[in-house]
C-alpha cells in the first residue's frame, strides 16, 4: 500500500461532479509517524481544554475558541474590506475541520472582498452558562447564524431564545434539519419558516408524519434535488430566496471545504449589505451521492454494489486472507457528513483493521437519517435476496431510521430482519473528548446514552463499543490513541486503537457464527451460584436452570450440535456438574473441569496483575486448591457447562462497606480466560437472571479496556437468557458485557387462593351473607372475628373484642373489611413453580394472566376492561366499586367478587373454545372469526348469560376478546429456543420490550432481544394518571396516620425496572409529589418539566429524597409551609454553607459503575454483626449525588447532604410494579430500604411511616410496609399452592423457599416490619412438619441447611421470639444436616475453624449473632 492516500472523488455513474482541485477527504499514515514538533499548538486552543472532572461536570469542557477563525490582522487596517461574522451550532464536530479549512482558505485569498470571522459551538456546550453567555455575545455582532441537527429540546430552546433576539438584525439565519422551534428562525431575504408548525406551512407536512421518520431529513433531501431547478425560473424574490436556501442546504450537506467556501461566498454576497454588488464569484454545489458505497482506497463512490464488488475483487493490495472466497464479510454503516467533510479517520481505521484481520468490507453511507433503504440496496443480493454480509456494524451510533430526530423502529426492524445478521452499533464520542471519557467513571455523557445507546437498542442494536474519540486541539499529538496516525485538522475524530481492535474482532466472531457448521461450534453455558453455596448452583430468577439446560441441549443435539456424553436425564446432568446434586453427602466440591496453573493464568490473562491490589498474588484462596486456579463445570462434546465464580467478598463485612466495588478475583478472571482461550468457545450463553460479570467495576456505559466487564468477556459473543420482566438489569448486561439478551417467560401466574383458616373464614362469610338477618347473624360474626384473629388478620383489619354486641351496620362493616382482605389474598397473582426454557404455558395456565390483562382499560386502543364492562351492566362505575370494597362496604365487596368470578368464567370459556383436547391453542384467529358476531355462540356471552351481567355490551366484549385472542397466541408461543438457535447461527434476533406482560402484552412472545424503552417517551399520559391516584392515596393515608398533617419529606426508591415496566409511573409519582408536570416537545418527547401552581395543586409541595427536578421547586418564591422542598433546602444550605440549588440535591445512588448497597449481600451471607453496620453500608454506598446542573459529571459523594435530606423524611416509599416480583421475592427491595436508617438520623428518633404502592392490579393500593410483608407471607411463603409449586421444581425449588425466608430476615433488619407470627408459621410449615422437613433435606440439603440457619439467625438477632423447644430442634437439625453434608463431625475434628468449600463460600457451622460480635458454636445457636 502507499503510505499516503489523497483522492478526489468521482462517481461511477457520473452523477457526481469532479472537484475542481484535489481535496484530501481522508489522509492517513500507515506508520506511526509523529506530527511536526509544535505543529498547530496554539495557546488559545490549549487553554480551552479542561479536565473532565473539573468545571461544571458536563463533560463537554471544550470551548468555542478552538473553532474560532479570525480574519488576518492586516484586514483591520485595510479600508473597504468588510468583516463578515458567522456563528454556527451543530450536534457533532465533524464540520469543524472542514469549516475551519474553508474559512482559512477564504481569508488567505489576497483578492478577498471580505474577511471572515467564524466561530462554532457544539450544542451540548451551551449547557454551560459561561459558554452560553459567550454564544449570546457572539450573536450580538454576527451577520449570519447557521444551525444543524439541534434536536435536544432544552438546548433547542436556549438556541431559539438567543437567536430570536438578534434575528431581525442579522443578515441571514439558516437552520437545517432541527426541531421546529429552531427551524422557524430561518430567514433569508423574504424567505422565512416562521409559519412552520401551522397547517398552512408548506414545510408542516415534513414534521407532521409520524410513521415516516427518516422523515424530515429525507424529505428535505428530495427538495434539495428538485426545487432549485424549478425555483430558478420563477421571477419573484421570494422564489429566489427559497432557491438560495435549498442551495445552502446542498452546500452544507456537501460538507467539503470547497462546498463550504462557496456557501459562505453565496450568503455573503447575497445578503450582507456591505457586500452588495461586490465581485464575488461562487460555483454551484459539488453534489455527492445521497447514498452509496465508499472505501478509502477506491477511486470513486459507488451507487451499484456489483460495481463495488468488482473493484474489490481486482484490488492488488489485499492480503491472502482477503482473497479467500470464504472470508467473512462485514457491512459498515457510515454517516455521509463525516466522509464529505474529510472527518473520516476513524472510519478508515475500522476498515483497515477489519481487512488486516481477514474480513472483507462493504462500507455504505447515506446523507439523510434513514439508512434502511441503503442497507437493502447495497447489502442484499437483489437476485437471491440473500445478504452479501455476515454481520453489520453501524459506526454512526444512531438509530437506523431517524437518527437523533424521530425514529421509526418498526421500519428499522423490518430492514434488519431481511438482512438477518448480527447488528452492532458502535459509538464515536460526541459530547466528550477522549481524555474526558477516559477519566470519567460514568463513561458516556447521558445525552449520548439516550441518543446513541438506548435508541439503537430498540432496533436490535448491541455492543455499544466506543471506537473513536475526538480531540479539540489543532495538531495535538494523539498518536497513542490511534490505530494509524492521522494528519489532523482541528477537532477531527480519531480511532481508539484497542477499542477498534476489539470492535473488529468481536464483529468477525459474530460473523463466524454465520459461517461455521453447527457440529464444529463450541458453546460455553455459564450458570451462577449465589449466594456461594453448593445448594445454590444454578441460581436464576423464576427459572428451573438445569431442566432448561437439559431441554436446550437436547434440542441442540437434534439440530446437529456436538453434545457428546449428555446424560439421559436432567437429574443426572445436575449430578455430574455438582456431584450427585448434594444427595451424595460426602461430596463437598463441584466437579473440576480444568486446573490452571499460575504461569498459564498470568500468560493468558493480560490484566491479572491489576487484580493483585485487591486479592494478592494468584492463585489466592477462591476457586483454588492452593496451587492451581480451578474451573468448575463439565464438558459434553463441544458444550461446556461452567459455574461462574461469585464476587468473592460476600462474606467480608469490611469489603462490603467500600463505596465502590472491588475488582474480580483471580478465580473469576481464570474462568473467562478458560472459556475464551483454552476451551475456545465460539459463544458463551449466560443462563438466567443474573450473574456477576455485568456488575463488575468499570464505567457505567461506554466501556474502556480498563473496565472489568470488557476485559472479562474479551472477544466472545455473549448470549444471555434474561427474565422478560427485568429489562433494567438486562440493559446493564447489554451495555456492560455486550450481551444479546434473549427474554424468557416467568412461570404461569395463578391466583393465590385460600387455605386453612383463610378458607374457613371465606365459608363463614358466605354463611353470614345468607343468614345475617336471622338470629344466627351475631353468632357467625363472633366466629368470623375469632377466626380472623387466629389468622393474624387483626393487624390488617381493626377487630372488636370477642363477645362485644354490635349493631347490624357495624357487623356488616367488620365482615366487609375481613371479606375484602381475604379477597385481596385470594385474588393475588403469584407465579407457580419455575419456568423451563422451551416449555410455554398451556392455554389453561394462561387464564389468570388473561384475566389480569382484561382488567385494565386501554383507552389508546379503545378497549374497555372486562370489570368495567360488567360494572356498567349493573349501573355502576368500576372505580366506585373498588373504592367501596376498599372501605369494607359489604355490598361492594360482594359485587366485586361477582365481577371477578364472572370475568374468570368468561375468559376460561373463551380459552377452552380455542384449544384442542390436549389443551393446546389451535388457530385462535380462525376460531375467533367463527365465534364473533353470533350472539349466544360467543363463549363469553354464553357464560355471562348465567350471571347477573347478561346484558353486558356485546360490541365492547367483542373488541376486548379479539384483543385477548391475540394476547393468548403470544402467551403460548415458544420462541425461546428458536431465538437462541438464531443467535448461535449468527442471525438477527428480533428486539422487543421487557416489562410486565399484563400492562404491555407486546413483551410477548418471549425469545426477543430484550430492550428497555426510549427514555424520552416517559412518563406517558396513562402513567401520569395512575401516579396521581397513587400519590393522592399515599398522602391521604399518611395524613390519617400522622394526625392530619401532610408529610414534609418522603424518601423514595426509584427503580429503573419499575419505570420501564410502568412507562414512568414511579417518576411521575415523584413529579406529582413536588408539584411539577412533564412537558412534551414537538416530537412528543419528554425532556423538561414545569411547576404546577399551588392553587391547582391544592396542597403543599412534598420534599423528596430522589429527584433532580426538586431544584426548580426549591427556587420558587412560595411560603415555606406550602413548599417543604424550599423549606428544607434553605435549612440545609445554611447548615452546609452551600447555595440553595446545591442544597436541593435529591437524587442519590451508588458511585458510577457500582451497584447495590451491599446490605443484601451481607444478609444473604449472614456476614454482618449489627444493624448499625448495615446502615453504614447503605450510607457509604448510596450517598453519591446526581446533579442535573452537571449531568455528565457522574455521581459525586455528598454524604452529609444525603444524611440531612433523609433526616427530614416522615415516610419511606417503594413501588410494586408486577405480580411476579414482590417484597420477599428478591433482595433488592430491602437492600434499598432506609426505614431504620431514617429513624436513626431524625432528631426526634421517630420511625418514619413506611408505605408500598401496589399497582399490579387495576385497583391500585397503598399499603403500609408491614401490611405488604404480611400479604406476601400469606400468599407465598406460607401458601401451600406456592411452596408445593416450588417443590415440583425439585433442587431449585428448595432454594426458592429458603430465599424467601432469608429476604424476610432482611426486612426485619432494615425496617423491623415483620410480625413474629410469620416466622412462627414458617417454622411450623417447614420444620415441624416431619414429612416436609424430610422432602426439603433430601431434595437440596445445602439449601435446607441455610433455611435452618436462617431461622436460628432470626432468633439470635432478636427478630423471632419462640420456644426453647423450637430452637433446640433447629440446632439438632443443623448439626444433623451439617454432618451429613460434610460426612464428618466438623465441630469435633476442626475445633471450630471455619473452612471454605469449593465454591469460594463457606459451609457455615457458625453464624453472626446480631448483638454478639463474636461467633458462637453451632450447639449454642439461638440462645
Amino acid at each position: 500500500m502507499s503510505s499516503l492516500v489523497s483522492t478526489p472523488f468521482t462517481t461511477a455513474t457520473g452523477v457526481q461532479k469532479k472537484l475542481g482541485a484535489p481535496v484530501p477527504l481522508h489522509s492517513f499514515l500507515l506508520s506511526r509517524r509523529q506530527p511536526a514538533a509544535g505543529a498547530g499548538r496554539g495557546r488559545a486552543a490549549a487553554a480551552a481544554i479542561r479536565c473532565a472532572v473539573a468545571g461544571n461536570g458536563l463533560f463537554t469542557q471544550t470551548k468555542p475558541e478552538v473553532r474560532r477563525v479570525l480574519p488576518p490582522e492586516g484586514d483591520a487596517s485595510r479600508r473597504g474590506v468588510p468583516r463578515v461574522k458567522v456563528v454556527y451550532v451543530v450536534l457533532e464536530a465533524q464540520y469543524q475541520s472542514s469549516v475551519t479549512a474553508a474559512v482559512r482558505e477564504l481569508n488567505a485569498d489576497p483578492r478577498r472582498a471580505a474577511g471572515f470571522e467564524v466561530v462554532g459551538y457544539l450544542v451540548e456546550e451551551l449547557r454551560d452558562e459561561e459558554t452560553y453567555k459567550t454564544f449570546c455575545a457572539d450573536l450580538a455582532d454576527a451577520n449570519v447564524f447557521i444551525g444543524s441537527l439541534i434536536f435536544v429540546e432544552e438546548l433547542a430552546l436556549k438556541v431559539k431564545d438567543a437567536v430570536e433576539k438578534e434575528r431581525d438584525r442579522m443578515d441571514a439565519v439558516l437552520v437545517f434539519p432541527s426541531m421546529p422551534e429552531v427551524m422557524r428562525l430561518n430567514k433569508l431575504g423574504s424567505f422565512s419558516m416562521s409559519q412552520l408548525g401551522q397547517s398552512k406551512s408548506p414545510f408542516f407536512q415534513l414534521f407532521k408524519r409520524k410513521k415516516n421518520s427518516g422523515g424530515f431529513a429525507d424529505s428535505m433531501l428530495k427538495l434539495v434535488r428538485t426545487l432549485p431547478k424549478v425555483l430558478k425560473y420563477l421571477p419573484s424574490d421570494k422564489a429566489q430566496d427559497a432557491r438560495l436556501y435549498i442551495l445552502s442546504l446542498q452546500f452544507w450537506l456537501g460538507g467539503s471545504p470547497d462546498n463550504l467556501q462557496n456557501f459562505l461566498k453565496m450568503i455573503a454576497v447575497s445578503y450582507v449589505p456591505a457586500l452588495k454588488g461586490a465581485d464575488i464569484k461562487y460555483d454551484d454545489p459539488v453534489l455527492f451521492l445521497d447514498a452509496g458505497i465508499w472505501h478509502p482506497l477506491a477511486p470513486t463512490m459507488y451507487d451499484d454494489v456489483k460495481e463495488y464488488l468488482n473493484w474489490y475483487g481486482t484490488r492488488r493490495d489485499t492480503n491472502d486472507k482477503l482473497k479467500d472466497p470464504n472470508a467473512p464479510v462485514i457491512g459498515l454503516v457510515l454517516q455521509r457528513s463525516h466522509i464529505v467533510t474529510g472527518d473520516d479517520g476513524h472510519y478508515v481505521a475500522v476498515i483497515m483493521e477489519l481487512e488486516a484481520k481477514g474480513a472483507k468490507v462493504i462500507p455504505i453511507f447515506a446523507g439523510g437519517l434513514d439508512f434502511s433503504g441503503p442497507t437493502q440496496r447495497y447489502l442484499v443480493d437483489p437476485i437471491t435476496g440473500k445478504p452479501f454480509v455476515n454481520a453489520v456494524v453501524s459506526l454512526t451510533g444512531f438509530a437506523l431510521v431517524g437518527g437523533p430526530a424521530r425514529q421509526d423502529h418498526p421500519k428499522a426492524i423490518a430492514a434488519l430482519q431481511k438482512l438477518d445478521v448480527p447488528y452492532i452499533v458502535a459509538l464515536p464520542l460526541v459530547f466528550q473528548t477522549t481524555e474526558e471519557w477516559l477519566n470519567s467513571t460514568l463513561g458516556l455523557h447521558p445525552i449520548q446514552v439516550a441518543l446513541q445507546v438506548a435508541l439503537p437498542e430498540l432496533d436490535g442494536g448491541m455492543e455499544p463499543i466506543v471506537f473513536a474519540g475526538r480531540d479539540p486541539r489543532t495538531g495535538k499529538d494523539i498518536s497513542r490513541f490511534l490505530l494509524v496516525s492521522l494528519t489532523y485538522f482541528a477537532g477531527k475524530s480519531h480511532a481508539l486503537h484497542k477499542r477498534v481492535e476489539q470492535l473488529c474482532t468481536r464483529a468477525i466472531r459474530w460473523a463466524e457464527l454465520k459461517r461455521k457448521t453447527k457440529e464444529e461450534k463450541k458453546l460455553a453455558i455459564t450458570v451462577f451460584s449465589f449466594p456461594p453455596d453448593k445448594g445454590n448452583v444454578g441460581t436464576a430468577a423464576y427459572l428451573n436452570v438445569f431442566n432448561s439446560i437439559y431441554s436446550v441441549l437436547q434440542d441442540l443435539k437434534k439440530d446437529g450440535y456436538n453434545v457428546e456424553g449428555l446424560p439421559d436425564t436432567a437429574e443426572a446432568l445436575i449430578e455430574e456438574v455438582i456431584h450427585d446434586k448434594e444427595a451424595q453427602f460426602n461430596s463437598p466440591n463441584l466437579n473440576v473441569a480444568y486446573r490452571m496453573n499460575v504461569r498459564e493464568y498470568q500468560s493468558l490473562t493480560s490484566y491479572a496483575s491489576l487484580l493483585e491490589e485487591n486479592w494478592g498474588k494468584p492463585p489466592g484462596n477462591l476457586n483454588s486448591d492452593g496451587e492451581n486456579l480451578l474451573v468448575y463445570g463439565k464438558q459434553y462434546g463441544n458444550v461446556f457447562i461452567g459455574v461462574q465464580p461469585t464476587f468473592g467478598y460476600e462474606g467480608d463485612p469490611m469489603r462490603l462497606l467500600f463505596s465502590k466495588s472491588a475488582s474480580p478475583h483471580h478465580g473469576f478472571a481464570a474462568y473467562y480466560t478458560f472459556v475464551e482461550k483454552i476451551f475456545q468457545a465460539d459463544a458463551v450463553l449466560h443462563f438466567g437472571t443474573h450473574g456477576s460479570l455485568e456488575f463488575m467495576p468499570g464505567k457505567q456505559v461506554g466501556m474502556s479496556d480498563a473496565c472489568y466487564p470488557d476485559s472479562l468477556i474479551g472477544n466472545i459473543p455473549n448470549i444471555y437468557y434474561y427474565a422478560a420482566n427485568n429489562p433494567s438489569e438486562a440493559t446493564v448486561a447489554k451495555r456492560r458485557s455486550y450481551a444479546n439478551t434473549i427474554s424468557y417467560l416467568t412461570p404461569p401466574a395463578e391466583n393465590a387462593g385460600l387455605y386453612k383458616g383463610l378458607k374457613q373464614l371465606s365459608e363463614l362469610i358466605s354463611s353470614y351473607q345468607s343468614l345475617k338477618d336471622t338470629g344466627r347473624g351475631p353468632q357467625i360474626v363472633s366466629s368470623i372475628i375469632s377466626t380472623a384473629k387466629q389468622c393474624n388478620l387483626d393487624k390488617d383489619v381493626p377487630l372488636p373484642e370477642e363477645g362485644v354486641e354490635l349493631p347490624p351496620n357495624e357487623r356488616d362493616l367488620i365482615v366487609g373489611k375481613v371479606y375484602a382482605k381475604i379477597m385481596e389474598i385470594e385474588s393475588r397473582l403469584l407465579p407457580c413453580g419455575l419456568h423451563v426454557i422451551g416449555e410455554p404455558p398451556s392455554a389453561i395456565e394462561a387464564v389468570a394472566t388473561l384475566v389480569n390483562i382484561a382488567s385494565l382499560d386501554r383507552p389508546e386502543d379503545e378497549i374497555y376492561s372486562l370489570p368495567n364492562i360488567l360494572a356498567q351492566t349493573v349501573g355502576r362505575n368500576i372505580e366506585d366499586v373498588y373504592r367501596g370494597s376498599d372501605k369494607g362496604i359489604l355490598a361492594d365487596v360482594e359485587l366485586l367478587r361477582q365481577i371477578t368470578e364472572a370475568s374468570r368464567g368468561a375468559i376460561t370459556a373463551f380459552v377452552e373454545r380455542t384449544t384442542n383436547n390436549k389443551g393446546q391453542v389451535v388457530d385462535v384467529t380462525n376460531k375467533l372469526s367463527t365465534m364473533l358476531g353470533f350472539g349466544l355462540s360467543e363463549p363469553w356471552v354464553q357464560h355471562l348469560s348465567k350471571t347477573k351481567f347478561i346484558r353486558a355490551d356485546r360490541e365492547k366484549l367483542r373488541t376486548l376478546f379479539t384483543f385477548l385472542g391475540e394476547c393468548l397466541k403470544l402467551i403460548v408461543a415458544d420462541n425461546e429456543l428458536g431465538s437462541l438457535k438464531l443467535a448461535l447461527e449468527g442471525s438477527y434476533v428480533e428486539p422487543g420490550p421487557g416489562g410486565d406482560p399484563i400492562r404491555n402484552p407486546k413483551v410477548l412472545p418471549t425469545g426477543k432481544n430484550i430492550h428497555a424503552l426510549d427514555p424520552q417517551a416517559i412518563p406517558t399520559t396513562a402513567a401520569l394518571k395512575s401516579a396521581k391516584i397513587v400519590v393522592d392515596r399515599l398522602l391521604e393515608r399518611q395524613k390519617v396516620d400522622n394526625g392530619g398533617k401532610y408529610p414534609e419529606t418522603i424518601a423514595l426508591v426509584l427503580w429503573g425496572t419499575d419505570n420501564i415496566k410502568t412507562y414512568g409511573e414511579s417518576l411521575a409519582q415523584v413529579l406529582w409529589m413536588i408539584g411539577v408536570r412533564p412537558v412534551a416537545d414537538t416530537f412528543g418527547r419528554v425532556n423538561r418539566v414545569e411547576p404546577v401552581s399551588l392553587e391547582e395543586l391544592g396542597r403543599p409541595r412534598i420534599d423528596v429524597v430522589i429527584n433532580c427536578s426538586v431544584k426548580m421547586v426549591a427556587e420558587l418564591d412560595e411560603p415555606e409551609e406550602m413548599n417543604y422542598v424550599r423549606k428544607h433546602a434553605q435549612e440545609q444550605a445554611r447548615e452546609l454553607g452551600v447555595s440553595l440549588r446545591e442544597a436541593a440535591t435529591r437524587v442519590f445512588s451508588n458511585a458510577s459503575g457500582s451497584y447495590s448497597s451491599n446490605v443484601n449481600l451481607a444478609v444473604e451471607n449472614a456476614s454482618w454483626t449489627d444493624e448499625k453496620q448495615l446502615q453504614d453500608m447503605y450510607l457509604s454506598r448510596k450517598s453519591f449525588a446526581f446533579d442535573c446542573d452537571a449531568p455528565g459529571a457522574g455521581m459525586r459523594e455528598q454524604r452529609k447532604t444525603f444524611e440531612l435530606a433523609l433526616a427530614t423524611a416522615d415516610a419511606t416509599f417503594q413501588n410494586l410494579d408486577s405480580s411476579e416480583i414482590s417484597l420477599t421475592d428478591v433482595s433488592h427491595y430491602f437492600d434499598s430500604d432506609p426505614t431504620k436508617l431514617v429513624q436513626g438520623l431524625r432528631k426526634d428518633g421517630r420511625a418514619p411511616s413506611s408505605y408500598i404502592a401496589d399497582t399490579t392490579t387495576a385497583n391500585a393500593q397503598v399499603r403500609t410496609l408491614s401490611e405488604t410483608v404480611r400479604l406476601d407471607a400469606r400468599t407465598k411463603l406460607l401458601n401451600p399452592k406456592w411452596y408445593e409449586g416450588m417443590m415440583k421444581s425439585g433442587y431449585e425449588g428448595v432454594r426458592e423457599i429458603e430465599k424467601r425466608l432469608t429476604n424476610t430476615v432482611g426486612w426485619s433488619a432494615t425496617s423491623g416490619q415483620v410480625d413474629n407470627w410469620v416466622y412462627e408459621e414458617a417454622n411450623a410449615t417447614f420444620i415441624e412438619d416431619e414429612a416436609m422437613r424430610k422432602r426439603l433435606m433430601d431434595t437440596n440439603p445445602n439449601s435446607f441447611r441455610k433455611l435452618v440457619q436462617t431461622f436460628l439467625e432470626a432468633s439470635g438477632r432478636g427478630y423471632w421470639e419462640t420456644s426453647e423447644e423450637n430452637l433446640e430442634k433447629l440446632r439438632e437439625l443443623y448439626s444433623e444436616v451439617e454432618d451429613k453434608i460434610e460426612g464428618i463431625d466438623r465441630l469435633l475434628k476442626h475445633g471450630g475453624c471455619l473452612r471454605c468449600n469449593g465454591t469460594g463460600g463457606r459451609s457455615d457451622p457458625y453464624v453472626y449473632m446480631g448483638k454478639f460480635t463474636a461467633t458462637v458454636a453451632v450447639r449454642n445457636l439461638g440462645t
Side-chain angles (χ1 to χ4, degrees), residues 1252-1302:
I1252 304 292
D1254 182 347
T1255 58
T1256 60
T1257 65
N1259 184 17
Q1261 298 288 320
V1262 175
R1263 304 185 185 94
T1264 64
L1265 174 56
S1266 57
E1267 287 170 349
T1268 310
V1269 170
R1270 289 193 289 271
L1271 181 62
D1272 233 30
R1274 288 177 175 125
T1275 54
K1276 289 187 177 170
L1277 183 64
L1278 306 177
N1279 185 353
K1281 181 183 277 192
W1282 181 83
Y1283 60 70
E1284 288 297 344
M1286 286 299 170
M1287 289 301 294
K1288 287 177 185 175
S1289 297
Y1291 163 86
E1292 284 149 319
V1294 179
R1295 181 180 63 233
E1296 292 295 320
I1297 293 169
E1298 174 271 310
K1299 186 169 80 173
R1300 296 315 185 285
L1301 184 69
T1302 298

Side-chain angles (χ1 to χ4, degrees), residues 22-229:
V23 177
L25 294 181
H26 59 273
S27 303
F28 60 93
L29 292 169
L30 296 180
S31 62
R32 297 196 178 208
R33 192 172 300 163
Q34 303 296 317
R41 297 188 182 182
R43 291 183 180 179
I49 307 304
R50 287 186 282 154
C51 175
V53 295
N56 64 9
L58 298 180
F59 276 26
T60 312
Q61 298 300 317
T62 57
K63 288 295 182 182
E65 298 312 310
V66 299
R67 280 170 242 107
R68 189 181 298 277
V69 182
L70 298 173
E73 292 181 8
D75 275 12
S77 59
R78 289 177 60 192
R79 294 183 179 181
V81 180
R83 176 177 293 204
V84 177
K85 183 172 181 180
V86 180
V87 178
Y88 68 92
V89 175
V90 289
L91 175 69
E92 298 180 88
Q94 64 261 44
Y95 275 86
Q96 177 180 341
S97 61
S98 203
V99 170
T100 300
V103 176
R104 285 181 176 161
E105 186 74 21
L106 286 171
N107 286 340
D109 185 350
R111 297 170 298 171
R112 61 187 175 279
F116 284 85
E117 177 184 351
V118 176
V119 59
Y121 291 80
L122 301 184
V123 67
E124 193 63 25
E125 291 173 344
L126 300 179
R127 288 185 190 277
D128 181 78
E129 283 307 312
E130 289 302 314
T131 304
Y132 186 65
K133 287 177 184 175
T134 307
F135 172 60
C136 293
D138 273 325
L139 288 173
D141 62 348
N143 300 89
V144 179
F145 172 76
I146 303 167
S148 178
L149 294 182
I150 303 170
F151 285 108
V152 181
E153 185 195 19
E154 57 190 306
L155 300 175
L157 294 177
K158 293 184 85 165
V159 171
K160 169 184 170 287
D161 291 344
V163 176
E164 216 166 34
K165 294 172 185 173
E166 304 293 339
R167 180 177 181 269
D168 291 341
R169 182 198 56 75
M170 283 194 282
D171 301 323
V173 175
L174 294 121
V175 182
F176 306 126
S178 294
M179 291 193 67
E181 291 87 342
V182 192
M183 292 291 291
R184 291 190 195 105
L185 297 170
N186 267 299
K187 182 192 82 164
L188 214 57
S190 57
F191 174 79
S192 169
M193 286 192 187
S194 58
Q195 302 300 308
L196 187 67
Q198 300 177 19
S199 58
K200 294 179 182 178
S201 163
F203 286 88
F204 176 65
Q205 297 304 321
L206 300 180
F207 288 95
K208 190 176 180 182
R209 284 172 291 179
K210 291 184 179 178
K211 300 293 182 188
N212 179 19
S213 72
F216 178 72
D218 291 314
S219 299
M220 289 204 72
L221 280 177
K222 291 174 185 174
L223 286 175
V224 165
R225 289 191 293 271
T226 57
L227 270 187
K229 297 172 185 175

Side-chain angles (χ1 to χ4, degrees), residues 28 104 128 143 149 151 242 318 373 418 426 621 688 715 763 773 890 1155 1234 1242 1296:
F28 60 93
R104 285 181 176 161
D128 181 78
N143 300 89
L149 294 182
F151 285 108
T318 55
K418 289 177 185 175
N621 59 3
N715 295 315
E763 293 164 355
D773 296 326
L890 187 57
Y1155 300 88
R1242 284 182 62 97
E1296 292 295 320

Side-chain angles (χ1 to χ4, degrees), residues 600-634:
E600 182 180 33
Y601 164 68
Q602 290 175 325
S603 67
L604 294 177
T605 311
S606 60
Y607 54 94
S609 61
L610 301 177
L611 311 184
E612 294 178 11
E613 180 183 353
N614 286 297
W615 301 101
K617 296 282 185 183
N621 59 3
L622 297 172
N623 291 74
S624 162
D625 60 8
E627 294 181 7
N628 304 289
L629 287 152
L630 306 180
V631 177
Y632 296 113
K634 180 77 175 175

Side-chain angles (χ1 to χ4, degrees), residues 1110-1130:
V1110 173
K1111 295 193 174 188
M1112 172 195 291
V1113 173
E1115 292 176 328
L1116 293 174
D1117 186 11
E1118 295 174 340
E1120 283 190 354
E1121 66 273 12
M1122 294 302 290
N1123 187 334
Y1124 299 138
V1125 185
R1126 183 173 178 81
K1127 173 185 175 181
H1128 298 149
Q1130 287 178 330

Side-chain angles (χ1 to χ4, degrees), residues 616 753 1164 1204 1378:
E1164 287 164 343
L1204 288 174
E1378 179 73 14

Side-chain angles (χ1 to χ4, degrees), residues 1339-1401:
T1339 307
N1340 188 335
N1342 268 286
S1343 288
F1344 179 67
R1345 173 179 60 187
K1346 180 67 164 65
L1347 185 80
V1348 173
Q1349 174 192 315
T1350 303
F1351 275 117
L1352 289 166
E1353 184 182 1
S1355 171
R1357 295 190 187 278
Y1359 302 144
W1360 175 35
E1361 292 182 14
T1362 191
S1363 67
E1364 182 57 34
E1365 182 184 353
N1366 280 342
L1367 293 175
E1368 188 56 36
K1369 176 66 178 174
L1370 286 164
R1371 295 184 199 112
E1372 290 172 3
L1373 269 175
Y1374 191 97
S1375 293
E1376 180 185 342
V1377 69
E1378 179 73 14
D1379 289 349
K1380 283 184 178 179
I1381 288 172
E1382 298 299 331
I1384 52 173
D1385 183 344
R1386 291 181 60 182
L1387 197 65
L1388 297 176
K1389 292 192 176 184
H1390 292 278
C1393 174
L1394 274 178
R1395 248 184 14 174
C1396 282
N1397 68 16
T1399 65

Side-chain angles (χ1 to χ4, degrees), residues 51 97 124 158 205 225 238 245 430 478 501 595 782 833 874 940 1068 1118 1130 1158 1194 1199 1259:
C51 175
S97 61
E124 193 63 25
K158 293 184 85 165
Q205 297 304 321
R225 289 191 293 271
K238 196 164 190 176
Y245 174 79
V430 175
I478 45 99
E501 185 178 14
R595 286 177 167 81
S782 180
V874 293
W940 50 89
E1118 295 174 340
Q1130 287 178 330
N1158 281 352
R1199 178 161 174 166
N1259 184 17

